[in-house]
Amino acid sequence: MPPKPIRALRQLTRYRKAQIKERQREANRLHKTLEDTGIKLDCVASDILGVSGRAMLDALCQGTTDPEVLANLAKGRLRSKIPALREALEGRFEPPHALLVGSILAHLDFLDEQIEQLSGAIEEQLRPFQSAVDVLRSVGGIETRTAQNILAEIGVDMTVFPTAGHLASWAGQCSGNDQSAGKRRSGRTRKGCKWLDDALKDAAMAAIRTNDSYLQAQYQRLRPRIGHGRALGAVKHFRSSAPAGTCSAPGSYTETSAATTSANETPNAKPDGSSPNSSASATKSPSKPYRKRPDGMA
């Protein structure tokens, strides 16, 4: 049970995350509504909720449907795409669409205001722990918002975890260990805190996009063999188990598999390192003698 300040911080960060997800859902509804009108603004503008896109959407809600007038509302580098904007803004934008888009934009403004207020309250709550935020930000792929979410979930008192491996196991980032009779079964991870998992996933996605970094090289090495999800999970586990400033050099990293277990870790191992159950030391049992059936058939 974390202390009261961390519990209060956790409520704020989780609610902010919920509001961010709700904002993304509203943005998706906006894209769907524009697709219904035949307006392809997202094919020209990278962000339809930017300054230029927002000006065009507001003009559409106010009744302006002339593509020439709407295209001239572009700002900055988007003005070089005015001919393409004219074609993209030709559609069938009707009054029902104006009502829907206006409501979505109003909801987006409300969510932006809520997220900004929550971020201010979180920064105030984390003011006594600013040094811990700075330490987390020193790790590649972790920015201020991700650091705040991680601290809210694990707290700032690391004495409750004997080692970094204990923290990774508690967070549900360690692969499972299910072996029987020399066979390895599913190695899926245990269920941990979904809020912490989302924060680590965001950090891992940012880390694998950092050029010339060890984690990007690790992801690119593992992805062709085990896929995107498991390779990202390996990066998440490394993020959660290695403290800031203690990452090993790329040359010193070695991958350990079940086939490279040492003799000291193998039960009933022989002094020469072989196991009594290994194929090299085991002798084949004599086969049963061949017998014929009484009727003479084999």
Side-chain angles (χ1 to χ4, degrees):
M1 179 67 67
K4 186 176 180 179
I6 299 300
R7 294 201 304 268
L9 176 64
R10 185 177 293 178
Q11 290 178 345
L12 293 174
T13 55
R14 290 181 178 182
Y15 186 65
R16 181 179 65 179
K17 185 67 174 180
Q19 296 301 300
I20 292 174
K21 290 183 178 180
E22 180 61 29
R23 187 187 185 279
Q24 183 60 45
R25 283 192 287 268
E26 281 295 314
N28 291 338
R29 293 188 186 103
L30 178 60
H31 280 273
K32 182 178 179 181
T33 304
L34 291 180
E35 287 291 329
D36 184 61
T37 63
I39 293 178
K40 303 294 184 180
L41 181 60
D42 56 338
C43 294
V44 181
S46 58
D47 183 12
I48 64 174
L49 291 174
V51 176
S52 301
R54 186 59 188 267
M56 297 174 191
L57 293 175
D58 290 338
L60 283 169
C61 294
Q62 294 173 3
T64 303
T65 57
D66 187 3
E68 183 71 28
V69 176
L70 295 172
N72 287 328
L73 296 175
K75 307 290 183 182
R77 291 183 297 179
L78 197 59
R79 294 197 62 85
S80 61
K81 302 179 181 179
I82 288 182
L85 282 173
R86 295 194 194 100
E87 298 181 6
L89 291 169
E90 291 181 359
R92 47 190 181 278
F93 198 86
E94 300 175 354
H97 297 132
L99 177 61
L100 288 175
V101 172
S103 300
I104 292 173
L105 293 177
H107 195 191
L108 286 172
D109 291 339
F110 170 75
L111 292 174
D112 288 337
E113 183 179 356
Q114 291 293 106
I115 293 171
E116 185 176 356
Q117 291 180 359
L118 290 170
S119 297
I122 291 170
E123 291 179 1
E124 185 65 26
Q125 194 81 9
L126 274 173
R127 195 177 300 276
F129 313 114
Q130 186 59 40
S131 59
V133 176
D134 295 337
V135 170
L136 274 177
R137 290 189 59 193
S138 65
V139 181
I142 298 181
E143 293 298 332
T144 302
R145 183 173 291 180
T146 304
Q148 293 171 349
N149 294 338
I150 293 175
L151 283 179
E153 298 302 329
I154 68 175
V156 294
D157 183 14
M158 293 295 102
T159 59
V160 297
F161 302 106
T163 63
H166 286 78
L167 171 59
S169 178
W170 174 83
Q173 302 301 320
C174 293
S175 57
N177 185 15
D178 186 4
Q179 299 186 23
S180 178
K183 296 181 180 179
R184 299 188 64 181
R185 295 185 174 89
S186 174
R188 65 179 59 183
T189 58
R190 62 179 293 272
K191 291 184 178 179
C193 177
K194 68 173 185 177
W195 305 97
L196 179 58
D197 187 72
D198 289 343
L200 293 175
K201 185 180 295 184
D202 293 340
M205 289 298 296
I208 64 177
R209 292 190 178 99
T210 303
N211 294 330
D212 300 329
S213 66
Y214 167 61
L215 291 177
Q216 184 189 57
Q218 181 193 30
Y219 170 80
Q220 292 178 349
R221 177 176 60 85
L222 295 175
R223 184 175 59 86
R225 179 164 56 90
I226 62 178
H228 167 75
R230 291 184 177 180
L232 191 66
V235 176
K236 284 197 303 178
H237 171 69
F238 188 86
R239 270 280 167 261
S240 60
S241 62
T246 62
C247 298
S248 58
S252 63
Y253 175 78
T254 57
E255 184 178 0
T256 305
S257 62
T260 59
T261 307
S262 62
N264 295 330
E265 297 175 352
T266 304
N268 303 324
K270 293 184 177 180
D272 59 353
S274 61
S275 172
N277 296 327
S278 62
S279 59
S281 60
T283 58
K284 296 183 65 176
S285 59
S287 58
K288 294 183 179 180
Y290 178 78
R291 297 178 179 179
K292 289 186 177 182
R293 292 173 55 177
D295 55 3
M297 296 182 64

